[in-house]
Amino acid sequence: MTSTYAVLSEGLRKRFGEVDALRGLDLAIAPGTVCGLLGPNGAGKTTAVRLLTTLLRPDAGSARIAGHDLLRDPAAVRRHIGVTGQDASVDGDLTGRQNLRLFARLHRVRGPAERADELLDRFGLTEAADRPMSGYSGGMRRRLDLAASLVRRPDVLFLDEPTTGLDPASRGRIWEAVRELAAAGTAVLLTTQYLEEADQLADDIALMDRGRVARTGSPAQLKAVLGTQIEVVVGDVDTMVDAAAVLDRLTGAEPSLDRERRAVGALTRDGTLTLPRLVRELDAAGVPLVDASLRPPTLDDVFLRLTEERAA
């Protein structure tokens, strides 16, 4: 690859009739990393994947995939990528082994039988290799589909919601495969509705909204923007004001009061605040405490904040 990035797009745009599906997509993914592309439904994630995999032609902008120009040399781009879409690409009438051998021959891979056997073993499908794929479970089909996208050992792998509907064990197998690919140098673009999945796998997150990347950063960086959620539950509703004063002094943020639960909450970006200190401060203020917690934010919280800002 001649570029620092395995995927580099600048200002990609795509319009369908009156709808601007992409309004200037800027994205950079380094080799050997996983980028999680997240966003609400309709944000443009699938359109972005279809553009970057040459299935659609952009109306404007540019991109280089594995060092090749997306517009000038789409054939070269296709030779260096693997794609696992939302719908399975394997043939239900063929066995798992036949599917992978077929893909290997289509991609002119040396030793197609050996490569098929290697992938069947890697994804735990050897015992089912000679059964028709139509009899596979959902998790097995998804693993076979991912194996098919790896027949050619791609420089860049695009995964569009690869684990939707899978049980935890099947999801874990795919997570393990993605980590191994990234460790071996493959760049992975992952779209997912499971924010825990992005938190577990992604080195970087690109949060999309209305056809653009609204925020980028590592999972830790994005969560740090929100801060830590503090909540205390007091024994006497009359002491909620005193508890709020303590939280205000410790965090500098305006606390929220839930009188029905006798709960007082606040956000803090102070990484030095600990639970023992919080309890000591409340005790010193004479606040009868029932419960206290400091909860780090999740990607779900970040996603919900983006959704709330979009609605506003």
Side-chain angles (χ1 to χ4, degrees):
M1 283 176 280
T2 59
S3 170
T4 305
Y5 296 103
V7 176
L8 181 63
S9 72
E10 297 177 304
L12 285 182
R13 293 177 174 270
K14 187 64 181 177
R15 186 179 180 88
F16 299 102
E18 299 298 318
V19 178
D20 286 313
L22 286 184
R23 300 189 300 147
L25 179 71
D26 299 321
L27 196 62
I29 307 173
T33 65
V34 179
C35 176
L37 193 62
L38 309 180
N41 291 333
K45 303 185 298 295
T46 296
T47 300
V49 170
R50 295 184 69 191
L51 284 178
L52 294 172
T53 57
T54 77
L55 296 175
L56 287 175
R57 187 177 178 86
D59 298 327
S62 63
R64 294 186 70 82
I65 313 295
H68 299 280
D69 191 281
L70 182 70
L71 297 177
R72 295 177 183 173
D73 200 354
V77 170
R78 287 191 286 271
R79 287 196 297 270
H80 288 268
I81 66 173
V83 184
T84 298
Q86 294 183 20
D87 299 316
S89 60
V90 287
D91 190 327
D93 293 329
L94 300 180
T95 67
R97 194 185 310 276
Q98 289 170 335
N99 266 291
L100 294 185
R101 287 184 178 181
L102 174 62
F103 273 87
R105 288 197 296 269
L106 289 173
H107 290 305
R108 300 180 182 178
V109 172
R110 290 185 179 181
E114 291 78 8
R115 181 59 175 158
D117 290 346
E118 177 187 341
L119 288 168
L120 288 166
D121 179 65
R122 180 177 184 178
F123 286 92
L125 295 170
T126 300
E127 292 186 5
D130 297 310
R131 288 163 39 195
M133 197 277 288
S134 57
Y136 282 18
S137 67
M140 293 168 67
R141 292 186 186 195
R142 223 40 193 143
R143 278 184 274 149
L144 183 65
D145 203 33
L146 180 55
S149 69
L150 300 178
V151 160
R152 196 166 42 187
R153 297 181 175 88
D155 293 318
V156 184
L157 177 63
F158 294 87
L159 300 176
D160 195 6
E161 300 187 15
T163 64
T164 298
L166 298 189
D167 61 82
S170 296
R171 189 175 300 152
R173 280 181 177 269
I174 290 182
W175 287 7
E176 181 181 354
V178 172
R179 291 190 183 103
E180 290 175 356
L181 287 166
T186 298
V188 180
L189 176 63
L190 168 74
T191 76
T192 179
Q193 296 291 348
Y194 300 112
L195 301 188
E196 178 198 2
E197 182 166 87
D199 207 354
Q200 288 284 333
L201 295 177
D203 300 287
D204 297 291
I205 300 288
L207 281 171
M208 287 193 67
D209 184 37
R210 300 181 182 180
R212 291 177 178 166
V213 174
R215 292 177 185 169
T216 60
S218 68
Q221 288 170 334
L222 290 176
K223 289 184 285 188
V225 171
L226 293 186
T228 299
Q229 176 68 50
I230 303 172
E231 183 178 85
V232 299
V233 179
V234 300
D236 185 349
V237 69
D238 293 333
T239 62
M240 290 181 66
V241 174
D242 297 328
V246 172
L247 266 59
D248 184 19
R249 175 164 49 82
L250 291 175
T251 67
E254 183 177 354
S256 61
L257 279 67
D258 183 343
R259 294 188 177 278
E260 184 176 347
R261 295 176 52 238
R262 302 193 307 279
V264 183
L267 283 170
T268 180
R269 294 182 177 84
D270 181 2
T272 66
L273 181 60
T274 63
L275 189 59
R277 180 187 171 195
L278 174 64
V279 172
R280 286 196 301 269
E281 295 284 350
L282 290 166
D283 184 60
V287 176
L289 195 61
V290 174
D291 190 23
S293 64
L294 272 68
R295 183 180 68 82
T298 66
L299 278 182
D300 293 71
D301 298 322
V302 177
F303 184 86
L304 289 172
R305 173 66 65 85
L306 177 67
T307 304
E308 291 168 0
E309 290 175 356
R310 181 184 188 190

